[in-house]
Amino acid sequence: MLNTHLNKHPLLPDQQSNVLRGQSCLDDVVKIYVPSTYNIDQPIDNSKYVDQSLEKFSNMFGGATSDDGTGAWIGDNKKLVKEKVTIVYSFTENLDKNKINEVVAYAKDLRKEMKQSSISIEVNGRMYFIE
């Protein structure tokens, strides 16, 4: 399972802006990268999976946001392969092992449902490939 030691880099009190001092703050962020392909390389409309992920994260963490992006890598033929991806993420406090386990289980389910080799999740800036 994932290493649950989470790196946090809080600002020192003298580095905080006076306007932010005393305001509520969420220290942890969890992201899932929703592919726009089915069965690894067949383009699809991923809005169903994005909505499903937004609902899952909102139920788990109290809210979620999605951003569209483009992922890229060098394929076996040594050429650039690009894929649209949607990143669904939530900020939260007190991220614990149970929540991380729930996110990993969801990523595994999404991987199977979308017939992917892996699904990427990110926890506090660290990327994991869930197979």
Side-chain angles (χ1 to χ4, degrees), residues 20 27 30 34 46 53 63 66 76 84 90 93-94 99 110 128:
L20 295 178
D27 292 327
V30 180
V34 182
N46 71 351
S53 299
S66 67
D76 293 337
K84 297 293 182 194
S90 292
E93 59 185 347
N94 302 322
K99 292 282 190 189
L110 189 62
Y128 299 90

Side-chain angles (χ1 to χ4, degrees), residues 12-36:
L12 298 173
D14 61 333
Q15 293 174 315
Q16 293 177 346
S17 169
N18 286 336
V19 244
L20 295 178
R21 193 169 290 130
Q23 300 299 314
S24 296
C25 177
L26 302 175
D27 292 327
D28 299 311
V29 63
V30 180
K31 301 178 183 182
I32 190 163
Y33 290 68
V34 182
S36 65

Side-chain angles (χ1 to χ4, degrees), residues 1-2 10 12-14 19 22-23 25-26 34 48 51 54 59 68 73-74 86-87 93 99 103 112 115-116 131:
M1 206 44 54
L2 296 180
L12 298 173
D14 61 333
V19 244
Q23 300 299 314
C25 177
L26 302 175
V34 182
K48 167 188 163 185
D51 288 348
L54 284 166
N59 282 323
D68 292 329
W73 64 93
I74 301 298
T86 304
I87 303 164
E93 59 185 347
K99 292 282 190 189
V103 170
K112 287 178 191 168
K115 296 189 177 187
Q116 296 289 313
E131 298 177 347

Side-chain angles (χ1 to χ4, degrees), residues 1 6 11 13 22 36 45 49-53 59 62-64 70 82 86 90 95-97 100 106-107 115 128:
M1 206 44 54
L6 304 174
L11 294 174
S36 65
D45 175 3
Y49 302 104
V50 170
D51 288 348
Q52 176 182 304
S53 299
N59 282 323
T70 302
K82 296 192 316 185
T86 304
S90 292
L95 183 62
D96 62 19
K97 187 164 67 168
I100 292 173
Y106 174 68
K115 296 189 177 187
Y128 299 90

